[in-house]
Amino acid sequence: CIAPEEPKHRSTIADRAEPELIKDPKVQVPASVVEEGVDARVTITYTVGADGSVSDVSIIESSGIAALDRAVVKTAEQMKYKPAVQDGVPRAVKKRRTYRIKA
């Protein structure tokens, strides 16, 4: 009697549908903005690559202060993630984030 072959089981529990943020630098608010005092929001979209890097940062809701918007983009580009994983393979995903800046 030949024993039936065991079904090949691969756990997908370890897969992450969403990337995990591991480096989240603080926005360096420009001195000119701090002097004026600000309570603003900047919403961005970006891509987290299969290597965990951030690229394609775009502002979708501006603070109305160009220097502050640039500071948020620069900060976002420095974020680092553990990439999203699907079927054991790292993959790129689009994300959206809103920064609230009070200075």
Side-chain angles (χ1 to χ4, degrees):
C1 177
I2 299 174
E5 191 175 311
E6 288 291 317
K8 290 186 173 38
H9 177 73
R10 189 175 54 77
S11 173
T12 57
I13 294 171
D15 280 2
R16 288 185 304 275
E18 290 294 317
E20 181 184 332
L21 185 61
I22 56 174
K23 180 183 172 195
D24 190 10
K26 289 199 177 295
V27 175
Q28 299 300 312
V29 179
S32 59
V33 175
V34 173
E35 290 169 11
E36 294 173 22
V38 69
D39 184 357
R41 291 177 192 261
V42 180
T43 302
I44 59 170
T45 62
Y46 54 94
T47 301
V48 176
D51 64 352
S53 65
V54 172
S55 62
D56 303 325
V57 180
S58 298
I59 293 174
I60 56 175
E61 287 182 38
S62 170
S63 65
I65 305 166
L68 188 57
D69 291 351
R70 283 193 302 271
V72 167
V73 169
K74 185 176 177 183
T75 300
E77 290 171 340
Q78 297 170 8
M79 290 188 296
K80 191 76 175 162
Y81 283 83
K82 282 186 184 174
V85 177
Q86 186 172 29
D87 296 328
V89 179
R91 64 183 182 95
V93 295
K94 284 290 238 181
K95 297 282 291 174
R96 177 183 172 128
R97 181 173 184 180
T98 299
Y99 285 86
R100 176 139 189 232
I101 292 109
K102 291 180 103 168

